């Protein structure tokens, strides 16, 4: 039989060979998935964060099912008793740790493990299914979604067993989410190079993960930058002309038009209403000429006219928009619009009242 040592505050129940569980009928009879691991094992270290998530997914359901692990290197007799010959080894104890186990031979990803436990125990996990933002490529779709797409496409060539690929996955998903509003010009994609071998061979993939950037102009280059979310964002902004920051928001330059910013600054410094009106008329005319090519121009027209009529408008509108932007319930598309408007009105927000308005 297995012994037990429950570490308080841990998500998974950690089992040891130190004490018997025979006297504890609850633990002894509760179905359990047990990982037999060794601290020095690389594959065990790769599995560790996934197994921790699995424990969290079934947290609070200890009376129904246990997610457990045992250091079989420290307790070799225990590993030998259950036929453990490599690490990590996963076994399912359908009648609790006092019963005979079944080998687990399924996938080592979170979804596969959770599905197995639910199938065996009837206990549902707390995992919320998130639709990935990363575009999944195949040999059949590579040409249309990458090469001939006319977009800027970042492609990760990966292998399911690759530890570095698994470590990169959550960051890569964040990057895909950050550019979700730029899907007309930017795609964040990946391809399983162990299955979609034709594309991998065509681009000379020899190690994992390999990341390549397919420019909208048809050229291809290796990505050799950092692997942080901000590193990827900075690279894509430079290549695609986007203006994102980590988290998916727009930066403070988004939507700004240099010629109109210059006029807004002159408007802010103007000392008379007549001078402000002349600048406003010039700006509105310029904005009208740019509206067909730059959608932000219309906001400048509106702001010049309102700032001329109500001197306090830039300050109050900037504060209102800032409050909206902080509201996390605003959808991503609308958030971009509010951010652009805030960027533009901020140029006006320090405008003093004209002398003949005091």
């Amino acid at each position: 039989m297995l012994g037990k040592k429950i570490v308080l505050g841990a998500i998974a129940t950690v089992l040891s060979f130190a004490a018997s569980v025979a006297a504890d009928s609850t633990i002894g009879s509760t179905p359990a998935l047990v990982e037999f691991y060794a601290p020095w094992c690389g594959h065990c270290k790769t599995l560790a964060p996934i197994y921790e998530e699995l424990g969290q997914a079934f947290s609070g359901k200890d009376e129904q099912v246990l997610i457990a692990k045992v250091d079989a290197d420290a307790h070799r007799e225990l590993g030998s008793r259950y036929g453990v010959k490599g690490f990590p080894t996963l076994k399912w104890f359908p009648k609790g740790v006092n019963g005979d186990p079944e080998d687990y031979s399924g996938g080592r990803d979170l979804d596969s493990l959770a599905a197995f436990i639910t199938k065996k125990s009837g206990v549902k996990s707390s995992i919320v299914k998130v639709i990935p933002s990363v575009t999944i490529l195949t040999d059949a779709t590579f040409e249309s979604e990458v090469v001939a797409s006319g977009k800027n496409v970042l492609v990760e060539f990966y292998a399911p067993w690759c530890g570095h690929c698994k470590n990169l996955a959550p960051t890569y998903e964040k990057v895909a989410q950050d550019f979700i509003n730029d899907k007309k010009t930017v795609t964040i994609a990946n391809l399983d190079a162990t299955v979609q071998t034709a594309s991998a061979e065509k681009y000379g993939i020899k190690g994992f993960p390999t990341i390549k950037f397919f420019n909208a102009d048809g050229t291809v280059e290796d990505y050799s930058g950092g692997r942080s979310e901000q590193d990827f964002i900075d690279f894509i902004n430079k290549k695609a002309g986007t203006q994102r920051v980590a988290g998916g928001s727009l930066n403070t330059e988004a939507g700004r038009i240099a010629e109109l910013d210059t006029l807004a600054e002159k408007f802010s410094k103007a000392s008379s209403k007549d001078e402000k009106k002349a600048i406003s008329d010039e700006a509105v005319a310029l904005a009208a000429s740019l509206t067909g090519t730059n959608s932000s121009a219309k906001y400048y027209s509106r702001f010049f006219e309102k700032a001329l009529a109500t001197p306090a408008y830039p300050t109050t509108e900037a504060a209102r928009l800032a409050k909206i932007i902080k509201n996390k319930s605003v959808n991503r598309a609308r958030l971009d619009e509010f951010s652009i408007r805030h960027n533009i009105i901020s140029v006006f927000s320090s405008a003093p009242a004209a002398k003949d308005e005091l």
Side-chain angles (χ1 to χ4, degrees), residues 291-302:
T291 299
T293 56
N294 194 318
S295 60
S296 298
K298 63 180 180 290
Y299 298 127
Y300 281 90
S301 294
R302 183 188 310 167

Side-chain angles (χ1 to χ4, degrees), residues 287-320:
S289 70
L290 297 173
T291 299
T293 56
N294 194 318
S295 60
S296 298
K298 63 180 180 290
Y299 298 127
Y300 281 90
S301 294
R302 183 188 310 167
F303 292 158
F304 270 105
E305 292 171 346
K306 291 195 173 185
L308 182 64
T310 308
Y313 174 77
T315 300
T316 57
E317 180 66 359
R320 185 184 76 86

Side-chain angles (χ1 to χ4, degrees), residues 129-149:
K129 195 69 174 178
V130 177
I131 299 174
S133 298
V134 175
T135 297
I136 300 172
L137 300 171
T138 65
D139 287 336
T141 63
F142 201 96
E143 179 72 22
S144 62
E145 294 197 38
V146 180
V147 180
S149 67

Side-chain angles (χ1 to χ4, degrees), residues 214-232:
F214 294 75
N215 292 277
D217 63 7
T219 59
V220 185
E221 60 186 282
D222 291 333
Y223 174 80
S224 57
R227 300 290 173 91
S228 72
E229 180 183 4
Q230 192 61 58
D231 287 332
F232 284 116

Side-chain angles (χ1 to χ4, degrees), residues 17 40 71-84 87:
F17 196 50
W40 46 261
D71 182 347
D73 188 46
H75 303 290
R76 296 185 182 185
E77 180 184 348
L78 189 59
S80 177
R81 178 180 303 173
Y82 290 105
V84 175
F87 305 114

